[in-house]
Amino acid sequence: MPEENNISVENEQQTTDNINKDFQIEKNVLKKYIGTDSHVLVPDTVTAIGDGAFKNQKKIITITLPESITSIGHYAFTGCRSLTSIEIPDKVTSIGDYAFKGCKRLPVIDIPESVRRIGRGAFDSTMLMIH
C-alpha cells in the first residue's frame, strides 16, 4: 500500500509541476505567463496578477482566475485581443491602470462590489459592457 500512495503523490506533483511551468510566480504574485495555451487556468496559490503578467498574449481566449485573487496589476491583460472570457473574483479590490486595454473581443465583464479602485484607462480600446 505505501508504494501506491507514493505513486499517487508523485503523479499529483508531476501534474502540479506541468501546470506551474507556464507561470512565473513569486510570493504568490503571478509575474508572467509564459505558456502557449489558449485556455488558461491560473493556479490556486496565486493571490495577485502582477503588472503586465499576460501583456500581449494574443492567443489566449479564456482565463480562469482562482477565488484567491485580490488585485489585478497595471497592464495585466493589455493586448490580449483574443480574450473572450474572464471572471473577476469577489475578493478583488483593485484593477490597475490599462489592465484590460485592447481586449477587443471581451464582450462583458462583471465588476464585483469588492473592487474599490479601477485604474485609469483600465478598459481603453475595448467594446466592453461593464456590470
Side-chain angles (χ1 to χ4, degrees), residues 84-104:
T84 60
S85 176
I86 188 168
E87 187 173 321
I88 298 176
D90 288 336
K91 291 182 181 176
V92 171
T93 59
S94 67
I95 297 172
D97 297 344
Y98 308 103
F100 292 92
K101 182 180 178 183
C103 294
K104 296 180 184 286

Side-chain angles (χ1 to χ4, degrees), residues 8-71:
S8 175
V9 169
E10 286 176 14
N11 287 341
E12 186 176 312
Q13 184 62 43
Q14 286 175 343
T15 301
T16 301
D17 289 346
N18 287 341
I19 291 170
N20 289 335
K21 71 177 173 51
D22 292 338
F23 302 94
Q24 292 176 354
I25 301 169
E26 294 176 22
K27 297 181 181 176
N28 296 344
V29 175
L30 174 56
K31 296 292 189 174
K32 187 77 177 158
Y33 175 71
I34 53 176
T36 58
D37 294 337
S38 56
H39 302 281
V40 178
L41 176 63
V42 175
D44 289 339
T45 58
V46 174
T47 59
I49 304 298
D51 295 348
F54 288 91
K55 189 173 182 180
N56 294 325
Q57 292 284 337
K58 295 173 178 67
K59 294 182 181 180
I60 294 176
I61 297 170
T62 64
I63 298 173
T64 303
L65 300 176
E67 288 299 316
S68 56
I69 298 292
T70 59
S71 66

